[in-house]
């Protein structure tokens, strides 16, 4: 394995289907034909079906688990409980605090207590009902404020505070001409990916297990599974199966450990597939947030200080609560210059459903808070909402709340101006007669224009790209070049998870550009190659893309070495050109096929971004982030103010992506992010009462349909970074970040109401 | 019970089908044809959209026994051996595919829409596809694909 | 698999009745749009299914001089496509059901059998005083829609009876329907309202869904509107009359708080929507034919 320093950015020339081109997805044909194998499509002739026994209680002590009756059923092959977990019965991304199968206590409704394996799914389902678990209910802690106060029962050793991030910078709050305060809430959003949690685990001859699963990070699964199964990591081999969307919801383990346990116990392949209801309790959600803000500004609306108090409900287990709280704290004031900040961001344990990663990762919640405040400030000062943002916008060289100077592009003002200058959609016909399908309520025919008012709102946002706080983050890629038939073929192998975002396309594009080899095969992602890190934090194109590029540089070096030998010339002065290596000095050249005749070239590279440091535990100051990305949104809504029904008419988004490696894929990320922002703004919420999810279905957890998706206007800026491959920055999260804030602002403009909570409901807009 | 039906032009039978089993389960698990997707199993997402005789329906809401003696066409039955159906090609060209889980159902739904309405307007497209949820694309490029396929 | 489970598939109505008599615990299935969800999720495991999709009598409708007899197995998509002139209110309601896929499978009979107060077709049936025909080997019963439903999921059907058809009067004036939901398509009603005008009898009919244990008919509101509309002069509706009508409709409901909305919102939404529907219906009555401005 070679570790190569980041190469200096050369000028990128156009290569067909290379970097910057609208290359096609290599998995596209299989996907449109229905041939693409998602994890829920995997099967094996001898397989057993797994099913999960889940706690009906929010918080309870497990007294007994009786499995005999279930085990005696014909067709049932295994019933496993906590005692059957051979290794450490704990997993977790930040803290190993979550049982594979609950041992003494259950901490949320739906927590796995036992798993069964049976010959068919219906038998497995019935066996689940025959596992008798006796519980002794314990007092439930479902209010995060009570968790914070310390009055509730401690749910974990060390109490119920997962993290308290304090950020302090600048002199204490000075006298401000204008002070605005507000309290805001964000509900619990769900990733609601379409492909349910699923996998196939095959027992291996060496006593290990081969797991085919959908995940965002193969190696972190492997590491946790090895510990739970008491196996060395090389005997827990993972291959990425087709992933039906992720959005953060596949960072934590779900079916993986259970299926491996069942496969190892029964000696048969074990398949697990969640149904939609089970999926809603089977993965973490976006943290609900309660936020208290105070913004002080001078008479012109220039910020003097911001005080923010943020409480995130992490639910029963830590998952990524520590890092989500980190982000919510770091970005609590948004992309604004603020001389004095006082931020307290806390995440707590409760007996609510566990919360963790979702696209935007803490930055979405606070964006709704700080942008609501900016609108309030604009109103208080008497200036335009865009103007107040422009007056305070950060730029390159500005200092963030954590004291870190922004080194890369920070075109906040430019992005805002661009969305502001885009043409507005046509108004509704004043005389009525609009197509009801395009009015609030849609075909349900609730208005023909009565009560409909239009509003326009803005939002701008910032988020870190890649992992932060001193984390040693890297990506690994292996690139091999050889000859197949008469053709030169490059293969690229990483463990990076394609979750729909188009990483497989990008990997092939980079190889084409770097090696000028048109024929590129992207091998299935698995743990046979080194760690790629997670497909989250908008980092994967940067990190795995960077690794692929480095591996290509190494491959090219080897090819040049071989050419130097073949041509008996020094390496300097040789260059790759269209399948040959050419000497500018002598005019000689050699065909790559000749250089590869004896042996392929095969190089593995590890790519690291620059190092960061943890935040100071007292002041929250430090250079914790690799990079920042920015997006601005303008939303136009029509609200039926009498019924409180909203139709988002249009969302415009301007985003700096550094370099669009695949422009249509960037647009796709922007559209998709906007759609999820629309959902969070006006309809999507996991409703939890007394710790139980009330709407675990697509009938009642509503995500936007074609009738709800606004039309979009996109503006993609490409301001190159100096420290990333091709100057790119991550694109996955920013298009979501300030979409809800902009929509909420537009609803305020249409209704004159405060809108302190999202998702906004018809109830809230009419009561 | 035994269920016999035609799927994508081929006669198929499945034995030991349970009374409450869905056509989707029959296709995916008994016949090993996973082209139709299992995203919600409550008719809300359209990922399992197939033609049952000539109607595009959610296979998860059809009892397997109800399909006995009937003709089913899945996404796999739309493309011939010689390549992709124009709707499939349009999805590829437009970049309407991300994770792809909704794609098979959407391809069938769009096929059905264009069969009925060769040149649909924007509102018609939106209404006709309201039963197919996509979580990745925000639908925009799917609309592009519909318009392209209609040409 | 349970050995006793059976999938029953009658080819005629008589056979369907015989099978239902022989298997009183069999659950009828037509479009499957409600039942299959419960089956897929493992919430229900009926002993047997009685598939009614192969019974031709159930899948037909016919027009008489003053009514439409709508087979219980006619899917919503056909109601939309074929009955827009005769039953405009029901056709409008049918267009709001689920998704296109659901409308091709789901049937008015299924809505009747499921007896959810949120059934999108039901307000039109109650408003228009539809009569539901149920049949068993013992004979035929005609049950007024207003007497059929007893509560959420409960109705007057005996174990051996099946819903055969519903008879609705052909429209004698404008009919409107609206459904309030928190998404612009594919949503279960938070509240729904049907309003029909009978320009022959100078009567107003109304029913409200999702705002009480069953769909309700606010008779005082109907009477009030009928008394205050200018049937002979067809002068425009006075806004105060429309508003009062909305209030009276809302007063006829007894909604609850649930995961979809609060009782207060439901009451409020019903009053707003009822007021608007009466306005649109009356505007249609006032306007010369063929000048309808909205879709």
């Amino acid at each position: 394995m070679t570790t190569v320093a980041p190469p200096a950015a050369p000028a990128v020339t156009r290569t067909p289907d290379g970097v910057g081109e609208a290359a096609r997805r290599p998995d596209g044909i299989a996907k449109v034909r229905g041939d693409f194998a998602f994890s829920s499509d995997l099967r094996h002739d001898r397989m057993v079906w797994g099913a999960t026994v889940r706690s009906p209680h929010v918080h309870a002590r497990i007294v007994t688990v009786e499995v005999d009756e279930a085990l005696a059923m014909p067709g049932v092959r295994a019933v496993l409980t906590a005692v059957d977990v051979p290794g450490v019965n704990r997993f977790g991304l930040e803290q190993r605090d979550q049982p594979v199968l609950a041992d003494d206590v259950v901490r949320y409704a739906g927590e796995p207590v036992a798993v069964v394996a049976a010959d068919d799914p219906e038998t497995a389902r019935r066996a689940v009902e025959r596992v008798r678990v006796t519980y002794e209910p314990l007092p439930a802690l479902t209010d995060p404020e009570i968790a914070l106060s310390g009055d509730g029962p401690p749910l974990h050793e060390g109490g119920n505070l997962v993290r308290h991030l304090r950020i302090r910078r600048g002199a204490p709050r000075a006298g401000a001409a204008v002070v605005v305060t507000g309290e805001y809430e964000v509900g619990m959003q769900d990733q609601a990916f379409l492909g349910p949690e699923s996998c196939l685990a095959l027992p291996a001859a060496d006593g290990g297990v081969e797991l085919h699963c959908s995940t965002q990070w193969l190696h972190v699964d492997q590491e946790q599974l090895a510990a739970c199964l008491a196996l060395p990591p090389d005997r827990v081999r993972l291959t990425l199966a087709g992933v039906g969307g992720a959005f953060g919801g596949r960072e934590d383990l779900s079916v993986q450990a259970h299926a491996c346990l069942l496969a190892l116990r029964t000696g048969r392949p074990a398949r697990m597939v969640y149904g939609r209801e089970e999926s809603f309790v089977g993965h973490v959600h976006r943290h609900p947030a309660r936020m208290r803000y105070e913004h002080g500004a001078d008479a012109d609306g220039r910020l003097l200080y911001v005080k923010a108090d943020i409480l995130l409900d992490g639910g029963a287990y830590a998952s990524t609560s520590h890092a989500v709280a980190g982000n919510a704290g770091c970005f609590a004031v948004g992309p604004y210059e603020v001389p004095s900040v006082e931020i307290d961001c806390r995440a707590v344990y409760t007996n609510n459903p566990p919360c963790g990663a979702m696209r935007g990762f803490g930055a979405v919640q606070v964006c709704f808070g700080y942008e609501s405040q900016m609108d309030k400030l604009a109103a208080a000062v008497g200036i335009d909402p865009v103007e107040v943002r422009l007056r305070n916008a950060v730029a390159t060289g500005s200092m963030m709340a954590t004291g870190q100077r922004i080194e890369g592009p920070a075109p906040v003002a430019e992005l805002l101006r661009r969305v502001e200058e885009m043409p507005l959609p046509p108004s509704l016909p004043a005389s009525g007669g609009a197509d009801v399908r395009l009015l609030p309520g849609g075909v349900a025919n609730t208005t023909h224009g009565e009560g409909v008012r239009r509003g326009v709102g803005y939002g701008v946002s910032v988020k870190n790209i890649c992992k932060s706080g001193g984390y040693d983050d890297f990506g690994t890629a292996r690139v091999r070049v050889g000859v197949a038939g008469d053709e030169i073929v490059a293969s690229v192998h990483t463990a990076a998870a394609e979750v729909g975002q188009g990483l497989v396309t990008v990997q092939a594009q980079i190889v084409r550009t770097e090696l000028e080899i048109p024929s590129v095969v992207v091998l299935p992602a698995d743990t046979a190659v080194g760690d790629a890190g997670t497909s989250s934090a908008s980092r994967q194109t940067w990190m795995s893309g960077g690794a692929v590029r480095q591996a290509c540089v190494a491959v090219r070096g080897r090819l040049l070495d071989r050419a130097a030998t073949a041509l008996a010339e020094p390496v300097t002065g040789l260059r790759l050109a269209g399948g040959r290596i050419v000497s500018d000095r002598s005019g000689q050249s050699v065909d790559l096929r000749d250089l590869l005749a004896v042996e392929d070239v095969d190089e593995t590279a590890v790519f690291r971004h620059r190092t960061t440091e943890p935040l100071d535990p007292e002041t929250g100051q430090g250079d914790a982030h690799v990079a920042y990305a920015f997006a601005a949104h303008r939303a136009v809504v029509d609200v039926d103010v009498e019924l409180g029904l909203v139709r988002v008419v249009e969302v415009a988004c301007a985003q700096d992506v550094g370099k669009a490696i695949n422009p249509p894929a960037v647009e796709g990320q922007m559209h998709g992010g906007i759609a999820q922002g629309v959902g969070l703004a006006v309809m999507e919420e996991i409703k939890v009462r007394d710790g139980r999810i009330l709407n675990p279905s697509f009938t009642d957890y509503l995500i936007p349909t074609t009738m709800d998706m606004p039309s979009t206007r996109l503006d993609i800026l490409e301001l190159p970074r100096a420290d990333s491959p091709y100057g790119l920055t991550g694109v996955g999260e920013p298009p979501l970040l300030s979409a809800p804030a902009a929509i909420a602002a537009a609803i305020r403009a249409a209704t004159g109401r405060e809108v302190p909570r999202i998702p906004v409901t018809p109830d809230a807009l009419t009561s | 019970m035994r269920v016999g039906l035609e799927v994508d032009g081929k006669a198929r039978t499945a034995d030991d089908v349970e009374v409450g089993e869905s056509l989707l389960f029959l296709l995916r698990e008994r016949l090993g044809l996973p082209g139709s997707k299992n995203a919600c199993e409550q008719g809300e997402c359209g990922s399992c959209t197939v033609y049952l005789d000539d109607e595009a329906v959610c296979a998860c809401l059809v009892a397997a026994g109800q399909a006995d003696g009937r003709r089913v066409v899945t996404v796999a039955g739309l493309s011939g051996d010689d390549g992709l159906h124009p709707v499939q090609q349009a999805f590829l060209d437009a970049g309407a595919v991300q994770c792809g889980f909704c794609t098979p159902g959407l391809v069938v739904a769009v096929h059905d829409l264009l069969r009925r309405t060769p040149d649909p307007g924007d509102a018609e497209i939106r209404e006709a596809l309201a039963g197919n949820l996509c979580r990745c694309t925000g639908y925009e490029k799917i609309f592009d694909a519909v318009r392209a396929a209609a040409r | 698999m349970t050995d006793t489970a059976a999938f029953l598939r009658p080819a005629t109505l008589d056979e369907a009745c015989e099978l239902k008599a022989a298997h009183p615990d069999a659950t009828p299935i037509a479009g499957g749009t409600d039942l299959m969800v419960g089956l897929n999720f493992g919430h229900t495991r009926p002993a047997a299914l009685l598939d009614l999709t192969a019974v031709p009598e159930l899948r037909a409708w016919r027009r008489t001089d003053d009514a439409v007899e709508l087979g219980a197995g006619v899917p919503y998509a056909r109601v939309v496509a074929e009955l827009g002139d005769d039953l405009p209110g029901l056709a409008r309601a049918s267009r709001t059901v689920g998704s296109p896929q659901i409308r091709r499978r789901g049937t008015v009979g299924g809505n009747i059998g499921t007896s959810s107060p949120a059934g999108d077709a039901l307000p039109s049936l109650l408003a228009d005083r539809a009569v539901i025909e149920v049949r068993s080997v013992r004979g035929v019963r005609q049950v007024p829609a207003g007497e059929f439903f007893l509560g959420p999921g409960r109705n007057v059907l005996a174990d051996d009876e099946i819903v055969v058809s519903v008879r609705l009067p052909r429209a004698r004036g404008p009919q409107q329907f609206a459904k309030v939901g928190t998404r612009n398509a594919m949503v279960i009603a938070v509240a729904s309202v049907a309003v029909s005008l009978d320009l022959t009898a100078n009567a107003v009919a109304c029913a409200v869904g999702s705002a009480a244990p069953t769909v309700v008919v606010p008779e005082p509101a109907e009477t009030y509107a009928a008394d205050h509309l200018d049937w002979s002069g067809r002068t425009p509706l006075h806004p105060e009359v429309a508003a009062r009508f909305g209030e009276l409709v809302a007063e006829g409901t007894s909604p609850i708080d649930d995961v979809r909305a609060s009782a207060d919102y439901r009451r409020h939404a019903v009053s707003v929507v009822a007021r608007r529907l009466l306005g649109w219906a009356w505007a249609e009555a006032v306007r010369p034919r063929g000048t309808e401005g909205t879709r």
Side-chain angles (χ1 to χ4, degrees):
Chain A
M1 188 178 293
T2 335
T3 303
V4 187
V12 178
T13 52
R14 282 194 58 175
T15 310
D17 288 338
V19 168
E21 303 294 313
R24 300 289 173 85
R25 298 186 67 97
D27 55 8
I29 290 176
K31 283 179 173 176
V32 297
R33 291 174 63 99
D35 293 340
F36 184 80
F38 291 94
S39 54
S40 58
D41 297 334
L42 303 177
R43 45 190 297 123
H44 189 285
D45 289 343
R46 293 187 60 247
M47 71 188 178
V48 291
W49 295 68
T52 313
V53 178
R54 293 179 182 274
S55 165
H57 295 281
V58 166
H59 191 202
R61 186 165 303 289
I62 297 174
V63 182
T64 56
V65 185
E66 294 165 57
V67 303
D68 293 354
E69 196 187 331
L71 208 44
M73 290 171 66
V76 173
R77 302 297 163 185
V79 182
L80 307 181
T81 66
V83 298
D84 299 301
V85 177
V88 185
N89 185 20
R90 290 292 183 276
F91 70 95
L93 289 166
E94 290 175 347
Q95 300 175 40
R96 301 261 165 103
D97 67 347
Q98 188 161 359
V100 174
L101 293 167
D103 31 35
D104 54 342
V105 169
V106 290
R107 294 180 181 83
Y108 71 96
E111 179 161 355
V113 177
V115 284
V116 306
D119 290 343
D120 65 85
E122 182 58 20
T123 302
R125 200 139 78 169
R126 287 168 193 264
V128 162
E129 293 166 12
R130 306 274 186 93
V131 175
R132 311 282 178 214
V133 186
T134 313
Y135 298 93
E136 180 190 309
L138 296 169
L141 174 56
T142 57
D143 182 339
E145 305 271 4
I146 294 175
L148 187 60
S149 73
D151 290 342
L155 302 181
H156 293 271
E157 271 181 44
N160 294 329
L161 183 66
V162 182
R163 183 177 193 182
H164 176 189
L165 172 61
R166 292 160 47 91
I167 301 178
R168 300 286 187 275
R169 191 165 66 77
R173 294 175 272 161
V178 185
V179 174
V180 290
T181 61
E183 295 193 16
Y184 306 96
E185 265 189 51
V186 177
M188 184 187 287
Q189 191 180 18
D190 191 81
Q191 299 84 358
F193 42 68
L194 286 191
E197 289 87 346
S198 44
C199 71
L200 182 68
L202 301 119
D206 63 358
V209 63
E210 312 266 356
L211 179 65
H212 297 257
C213 64
S214 45
T215 178
Q216 290 175 242
W217 188 357
L218 287 165
H219 282 82
V220 84
D221 286 8
Q222 180 189 40
E223 188 185 313
Q224 295 174 89
L225 291 170
C228 298
L229 301 171
L231 288 170
D234 64 0
R235 284 206 268 162
V236 181
R237 293 174 289 270
L238 280 78
T239 302
L240 188 72
V243 182
F247 318 114
R250 298 191 206 270
E251 286 216 302
D252 295 79
L253 294 179
S254 57
V255 287
Q256 291 94 323
H258 299 154
C260 289
L261 288 171
L262 292 172
L264 290 168
R265 174 61 68 96
T266 61
R268 289 167 60 175
R271 180 190 192 192
M272 291 192 83
V273 182
Y274 286 173
R276 184 50 54 184
E277 277 189 319
E278 193 168 23
S279 177
F280 273 107
V281 296
H283 62 255
V284 299
H285 316 288
R286 188 191 296 289
H287 289 73
R290 299 181 190 182
M291 303 173 279
R292 274 196 292 275
Y293 271 98
E294 181 179 321
H295 280 54
D298 67 17
D300 294 329
R302 284 193 175 76
L303 288 168
L304 297 175
Y305 72 87
V306 174
K307 180 173 161 33
D309 199 329
I310 297 150
L311 178 58
L312 302 169
D313 184 351
Y317 294 101
S319 181
T320 52
S321 284
H322 190 273
V324 171
N327 266 13
C330 285
F331 302 110
V333 307
Y336 300 115
E337 296 251 26
V338 189
S340 169
V341 295
E342 184 182 334
I343 298 162
D344 290 277
C345 182
R346 300 172 179 90
V348 292
Y349 288 119
T350 63
N351 292 120
N352 288 323
C355 290
M358 184 177 171
R359 194 177 195 173
F361 204 78
V364 173
Q365 293 94 319
V366 291
C367 182
F368 172 63
Y370 63 71
E371 287 299 78
S372 298
Q373 283 288 99
M374 293 306 280
D375 284 339
K376 254 188 199 177
L377 178 60
V381 175
I383 59 174
D384 179 79
V386 173
E387 180 56 31
V388 81
R389 288 169 169 84
L390 293 174
R391 285 183 192 178
N392 292 287
V394 291
T396 302
S398 295
M399 196 175 273
M400 296 290 285
T402 52
Q404 183 170 352
R405 292 223 176 262
I406 303 173
E407 290 177 7
V412 175
E414 172 77 12
L415 295 169
L416 273 166
R417 282 193 201 98
R418 283 177 177 241
V419 291
E420 189 184 27
E421 284 163 12
M422 286 187 199
L424 282 161
S427 333
L428 288 173
S431 56
D435 189 327
V436 293
R437 290 176 289 200
L438 303 178
L439 290 171
V443 288
N445 192 40
T446 47
T447 182
H448 295 171
E450 297 88 343
V452 177
R453 301 216 192 113
R454 180 156 289 189
V456 179
Y458 290 87
V460 63
S461 47
V462 56
K463 189 188 174 291
N464 56 329
I465 301 297
C466 299
K467 293 213 160 192
S468 298
Y471 188 85
D472 177 26
D473 195 13
F474 61 91
T476 312
R478 178 178 177 183
V479 173
R480 184 182 182 118
V481 177
V483 180
D486 194 37
E487 190 186 24
I488 303 166
V489 177
S491 65
V492 53
H493 187 189
T494 73
E498 166 62 54
V499 296
Q501 81 279 44
L503 185 74
V504 286
T505 325
V506 162
Q507 289 179 339
Q509 288 176 269
I510 291 172
V511 175
R512 287 189 203 105
T513 287
E514 293 298 327
L515 298 178
E516 299 180 35
I517 295 171
S519 182
V520 182
V521 178
V522 180
L523 298 174
D526 59 33
T527 51
V529 66
D531 195 350
T534 175
S535 288
S536 60
S538 301
R539 66 177 281 289
Q540 201 58 288
T541 295
W542 184 325
M543 298 304 294
S544 284
V548 169
R549 186 189 195 191
Q550 274 189 199
C552 287
V553 168
V555 165
R556 191 166 55 211
R558 290 272 306 279
L559 290 169
L560 292 174
D561 287 345
R562 286 188 191 180
T565 307
L567 299 174
E569 286 195 38
V571 168
T572 52
L574 299 183
R575 62 183 172 85
L576 193 60
R580 303 184 72 81
I581 288 179
V582 179
S583 166
D584 289 328
R585 182 195 316 258
S586 65
Q588 292 192 96
S589 75
V590 56
D591 193 308
L592 286 189
R593 283 170 293 199
D594 297 330
L595 298 177
L596 294 164
V598 177
E599 193 187 7
D600 291 357
V601 170
D602 185 346
E603 287 290 328
T604 298
V606 173
F607 175 87
R608 284 184 157 77
H609 58 60
R610 70 179 181 80
T611 54
T612 58
E613 60 187 30
L615 296 171
D616 182 281
E618 295 303 315
T619 64
Q621 300 293 291
D623 286 351
H625 301 301
V626 175
Y628 301 104
F630 304 89
H633 291 81
R634 182 191 69 194
V636 180
V637 303
D638 282 338
V639 185
D640 181 337
V641 297
E642 274 193 294
L643 289 174
L645 299 178
V646 178
R647 179 174 143 76
V648 185
V649 175
E650 185 194 272
V651 173
C653 178
Q655 180 181 355
D656 171 32
V657 304
K659 168 73 186 174
I661 304 295
N662 188 318
V666 171
E667 291 167 6
Q669 288 295 304
M670 293 174 75
H671 292 143
I674 290 168
Q676 292 181 1
V678 169
L680 177 57
V682 300
M683 65 179 81
E684 289 186 31
E685 184 174 6
I686 298 257
K687 290 173 184 148
V688 179
R689 190 191 299 147
D690 301 329
R692 290 183 176 80
I693 296 178
L694 301 177
N695 55 339
S697 73
F698 276 165
T699 305
D700 282 311
Y701 184 85
L702 301 179
I703 66 174
T705 71
T706 49
M707 297 288 283
D708 303 284
M709 180 66 193
S711 57
T712 54
R713 291 178 193 272
L714 307 183
D715 194 351
I716 300 170
L717 271 73
E718 295 185 90
L719 305 176
R721 298 187 59 83
D723 54 357
S724 66
Y726 310 104
L728 69 83
T729 193
V731 302
E733 293 168 289
L736 167 52
L737 300 176
S738 38
I743 293 165
I747 294 170
R748 285 187 196 110
T751 62
R753 284 175 177 264
E754 200 176 350
V755 190
R757 186 182 198 283
I758 51 170
V760 66
T761 62
D763 257 296
L765 287 178
T766 54
S767 58
Chain B
M1 82 180 135
R2 165 173 282 206
V3 172
L5 72 171
E6 184 190 306
V7 184
D8 296 333
K10 294 196 185 83
R12 303 269 191 170
T13 54
D15 288 312
D16 302 327
V17 173
E18 296 196 32
V19 166
E21 204 168 290
S22 69
L23 171 61
L24 179 63
F25 188 90
L26 177 105
L27 292 170
R28 290 177 54 80
E29 309 300 344
R30 304 240 178 237
L31 303 179
L33 302 170
S36 312
K37 297 302 164 199
N38 57 325
C40 78
E41 295 183 75
Q42 55 186 151
E44 293 282 350
C45 78
S47 302
C48 64
T49 302
V50 299
Y51 282 110
L52 178 63
D53 291 339
D54 278 324
E55 288 193 314
V57 303
C58 292
C60 71
L61 297 183
V62 178
Q66 293 181 303
D68 189 50
R70 301 183 69 177
R71 185 164 39 82
V72 171
V73 177
T74 74
V75 66
L78 297 183
S79 52
D81 296 334
D82 53 340
L84 300 177
H85 186 277
V87 171
Q88 293 169 318
Q89 188 64 49
F91 268 66
L92 276 186
D93 295 346
V97 179
Q98 288 190 30
C99 91
F101 209 86
C102 69
T103 307
L106 264 159
V107 165
V108 176
V110 171
H111 184 273
D112 182 56
L113 164 64
L114 296 179
R115 200 174 59 120
R116 296 157 185 272
T117 314
D119 188 18
D122 286 358
E124 276 173 302
I125 295 171
R126 285 177 183 268
E127 188 177 5
L129 301 183
N132 292 78
L133 296 177
C134 173
R135 191 58 162 164
C136 297
T137 67
Y139 307 107
E140 285 274 21
K141 289 184 184 289
I142 293 168
F143 299 153
D144 290 345
V146 178
R147 289 185 282 261
R151 277 189 214 116
Chain C
M1 190 186 345
T2 49
D3 298 333
T4 52
F7 191 87
L8 310 168
R9 213 178 182 204
T12 66
L13 192 51
D14 287 341
E15 195 190 339
C17 292
E18 283 158 22
L19 283 169
K20 189 70 174 113
H23 300 268
D25 55 354
T27 304
I29 179 169
T33 53
D34 286 318
L35 182 61
M36 288 305 296
V37 178
L39 289 168
N40 290 337
F41 280 18
H43 293 170
T44 52
R45 291 197 183 104
L49 292 182
L50 180 66
D51 174 25
L52 299 172
T53 54
V55 177
E57 296 96 317
L58 299 178
R59 298 186 66 82
W61 63 267
R62 70 187 187 93
R63 188 183 284 122
T64 65
D65 282 349
D66 60 353
V68 169
E69 275 181 31
L70 179 65
V74 176
Y76 294 110
R78 284 184 55 201
V79 175
V80 175
E82 300 166 22
L83 288 165
D85 289 337
D86 292 296
L87 308 173
L90 183 65
R92 267 183 205 279
S94 299
R95 191 178 170 196
T96 74
V97 173
S99 64
Q101 289 92 326
I102 303 256
R103 294 194 286 276
R104 287 180 202 121
R105 292 284 296 168
T107 63
V108 176
N111 239 200
I112 293 169
T114 300
S115 300
S116 160
D120 292 321
L122 302 186
S124 296
L125 301 192
L126 271 88
D128 295 334
R129 280 29 176 200
V131 176
I132 296 165
E133 182 173 307
V134 302
R135 192 159 154 175
S136 70
V137 289
R138 294 177 289 120
V140 175
R141 284 203 292 158
Q142 311 279 345
V143 185
E147 296 167 17
F148 186 88
F149 304 99
L150 303 175
R154 294 189 304 117
N155 57 45
V156 302
L157 274 185
D159 282 348
D160 62 347
E161 286 179 319
I162 56 177
V163 178
V164 174
S165 66
V166 56
R167 194 177 71 243
L168 292 113
R170 292 170 62 191
R172 288 185 292 265
Q175 298 187 339
Q176 282 287 347
F177 174 85
K179 170 166 102 175
V180 178
T182 45
R183 184 161 70 179
N184 285 332
M186 222 174 36
V187 69
I188 292 182
V190 159
S192 58
V193 181
V195 170
S196 296
L197 302 184
D198 184 337
L199 299 179
T200 312
N202 294 349
V204 176
C206 178
V208 185
S210 272
T214 63
V215 175
V216 292
V217 173
E219 287 177 12
E222 294 178 332
T223 308
Y224 170 83
D227 290 348
H228 287 80
L229 290 171
D230 175 16
W231 297 99
S232 50
R234 302 276 171 97
T235 52
L237 176 62
H238 196 287
E240 278 175 23
V241 171
R244 181 63 190 146
F245 173 73
E247 285 167 19
L248 287 169
V249 173
E251 281 172 20
T253 65
S254 51
I256 55 164
D257 290 335
D258 70 10
V259 70
R260 295 179 191 129
S262 70
D264 286 346
Y265 177 76
R266 288 189 155 97
R267 220 174 274 114
H268 166 76
V270 164
S271 77
V272 172
V273 165
R275 185 226 306 154
R276 290 180 184 173
L277 293 182
L278 183 65
W280 300 336
W282 187 249
E284 264 181 74
V286 168
R287 196 162 42 214
R289 277 183 171 279
T291 59
E292 192 185 357
T294 50
R295 308 185 63 134

